[in-house]
Amino acid sequence: MRQGLFITLEGVDGVGKTTQALILKEYFEQLGYEVLHTFEPGGTKLGNSIRQILLNPQHEELHSMTEILLYASDRAQHVYEVILPALNAKKIVICDRYVDSSIAYQGYGLGLEIRAIEAVNQWATGGLIPDRTIYLDADPALSLQKTEGDRIEQRTLEYYARVRKGFLTIAQREPERFKVISADGTREAVADRIIKALGGIYL
Ligand code: TYD
């Protein structure tokens, strides 16, 4: 039986997830918890190879079905090699992106069947669901200015508007788990909002 805590961070590209993950890690460590910060895609050695395939802009032929399955493959490896062992060791796991990214980017963004993506991911992860998900909300037109333009980031603003809408739809469906936080303001202000939204579930 696992006894750790699984927190995921979500948001469109350039919104500052990694910065916030690292602030949160330090916050928990100061409270005396053992924390693992990790990410998808690419949180394992094998996953890093999958990440290179997924993000290389030269891979124009990469089919949307392949894209879904590669994200799910990366995730399966990550869950079994990194996330579950850490949770079993009673750590707090903070993960940049997880299944919700596939629902938002491949489901809502590309217009592919949400239920199928959920089913594949449920199978790939053995049904592991985050205890809390923090979604950092921002206008993609602004946040994308901070990105370098990999294969996904080269997609249109219309695509990113659908991704954002997808995240907000998940929030409506699962308000207990999936918390919407405005990414506006200083990093300290955003970090405060995140800690409030976690509502002391780690205590
Ligand atoms: P990420 O590593 O967060 O981006 P970066 O390091 O460039 O900030 O994610 C890489 C890209 O993969 C990002 O554009 C979001 C996308 N993505 C999906 O489309 N589906 C998924 O399931 C995941 C995990 C990521």
Side-chain angles (χ1 to χ4, degrees):
M1 246 326 240
R2 75 172 177 92
Q3 288 174 8
L5 186 68
F6 185 27
I7 297 170
T8 58
L9 290 176
E10 297 284 0
V12 295
D13 293 83
V15 78
K17 282 179 285 69
T18 308
T19 306
Q20 290 302 327
L22 294 174
I23 295 176
L24 198 57
K25 179 175 193 277
E26 207 178 306
Y27 170 81
F28 283 132
E29 282 173 346
Q30 280 174 1
L31 292 175
Y33 293 100
E34 264 198 90
V35 185
L36 175 85
H37 171 234
T38 185
F39 61 95
E40 294 185 358
T44 62
K45 187 163 169 254
L46 282 177
N48 190 43
S49 299
I50 297 174
R51 180 184 170 93
Q52 305 308 321
I53 297 172
L54 279 165
L55 301 187
N56 185 341
Q58 288 175 349
H59 293 159
E60 282 170 19
E61 74 277 30
L62 205 146
H63 195 277
S64 53
M65 213 50 88
T66 316
E67 182 174 309
I68 290 173
L69 293 171
L70 283 176
Y71 279 114
S73 303
D74 167 72
R75 187 161 294 130
Q77 188 66 30
H78 192 213
V79 164
Y80 294 110
E81 185 183 325
V82 175
I83 300 177
L84 278 181
L87 291 174
N88 287 333
K90 301 185 174 53
K91 292 185 185 167
I92 295 182
V93 176
I94 302 173
C95 185
D96 276 21
R97 299 195 183 282
Y98 190 61
V99 176
D100 298 303
S101 276
S102 286
I103 305 293
Y105 278 77
Q106 281 68 50
Y108 288 92
L110 294 178
L112 299 169
E113 203 190 330
I114 309 283
R115 280 212 192 147
I117 299 172
E118 282 171 349
V120 164
N121 277 280
Q122 147 93 21
W123 191 50
T125 62
L128 179 69
I129 298 169
D131 296 297
R132 275 284 191 288
T133 298
I134 299 293
Y135 165 64
L136 295 175
D137 187 50
D139 181 350
L142 299 177
S143 69
L144 280 168
Q145 288 172 1
K146 293 175 205 141
T147 63
E148 284 167 6
D150 63 33
R151 196 182 63 86
I152 304 283
E153 289 160 356
Q154 287 181 0
R155 290 178 177 163
T156 61
L157 276 181
E158 287 75 28
Y159 170 80
Y160 272 97
R162 291 194 296 276
V163 171
R164 184 187 195 187
K165 218 169 154 190
F167 279 125
L168 293 171
T169 306
I170 299 172
Q172 279 175 354
R173 292 204 182 128
E174 293 184 71
E176 270 304 300
R177 172 180 72 87
F178 196 96
K179 305 290 183 192
V180 180
I181 302 292
S182 165
D184 285 349
T186 63
R187 59 179 67 182
E188 291 77 17
V190 177
D192 281 351
R193 280 179 218 138
I194 292 176
I195 287 161
K196 279 205 189 85
L198 287 173
I201 46 163
Y202 45 93
L203 295 174

